Amino acid sequence: MTKLVRANLPTLKKTASYYVVHVTVAAGVAYAVTGNLLLSLTLSLLEPAIQAIAFFFHEKAWQRWGSRVAARPVAVAASA
């Protein structure tokens, strides 16, 4: 695990900083809409968690679709 982290440290740092930016923007938008600080913080933390779950299923659907496309026979153009 340590090797994995060290090998990907720049990407992990970028991911963490993007998460902070995402949550901050989401909290700001939610606060602007609701005017409620607690509700905006709750929404901004809940949304990325739900997005991660949605992304998992989205990725699985794309894998299933990709395997179906790959399994189709390739049409050969008839020569005239």
Side-chain angles (χ1 to χ4, degrees):
M1 182 71 165
T2 304
K3 281 183 174 183
L4 179 68
V5 170
R6 284 186 185 154
N8 295 292
L9 194 55
T11 302
L12 291 170
K13 286 180 179 180
K14 186 176 179 182
T15 301
S17 71
Y18 181 76
Y19 179 79
V20 170
V21 169
H22 179 90
V23 168
T24 303
V25 169
V29 170
Y31 183 74
V33 170
T34 66
N36 183 319
L37 183 61
L38 182 59
L39 181 59
S40 67
L41 292 174
T42 301
L43 289 171
S44 67
L45 294 173
L46 180 63
E47 187 269 342
I50 300 302
Q51 284 290 356
I53 294 166
F55 179 79
F56 174 81
F57 289 107
H58 178 263
E59 195 64 16
K60 289 297 181 184
W62 270 92
Q63 287 174 357
R64 180 175 287 175
W65 179 78
S67 65
R68 287 182 183 167
V69 170
R72 289 184 187 160
V74 177
V76 178
S79 57

